């Protein structure tokens, strides 16, 4: 079981599962859920290595990678990920 921390609120997520539903529950807005609108972009404070690889939608929308991810496109692989929105 992985741990996702969003703005200091902790959630348990199955390893390999999409983080979209948990992020939506935590108040992160979603408009399209397809990686096109960018409303769900969040800052990964810790544990980016525990998320799935950046996919084509994220690459197309954000270009260079730093500590931001699109919540609708991520899966948590395990461990702990801390995000701020």
């Amino acid at each position: 079981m992985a741990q996702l921390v969003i703005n200091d609120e902790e959630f348990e997520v199955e390893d390999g599962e999409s983080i979209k539903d948990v992020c939506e529950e935590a108040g992160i807005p979603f408009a399209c859920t397809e990686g096109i609108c960018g409303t769900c972009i969040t800052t990964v404070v810790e544990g980016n290595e525990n998320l799935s690889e950046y996919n084509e939608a994220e690459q197309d929308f954000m270009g260079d990678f730093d500590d931001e991810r699109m919540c609708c496109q991520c899966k948590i692989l395990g461990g702990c990920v801390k995000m701020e929105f």
Side-chain angles (χ1 to χ4, degrees), residues 30-54:
F30 289 85
C32 71
T33 69
E34 296 174 16
I36 298 170
C37 70
T39 59
C40 66
I41 292 176
T42 187
T43 301
V44 179
V45 177
E46 187 179 304
N48 202 10
E49 69 277 3
N50 295 327
L51 294 173
S52 56
E53 296 283 325
Y54 286 88

Side-chain angles (χ1 to χ4, degrees), residues 12-28:
E12 287 191 355
V13 183
E14 292 288 330
D15 292 352
E17 191 169 312
S18 170
I19 65 169
K20 181 194 150 312
D21 291 338
V22 173
C23 291
E24 197 166 35
E25 181 183 327
I28 295 174

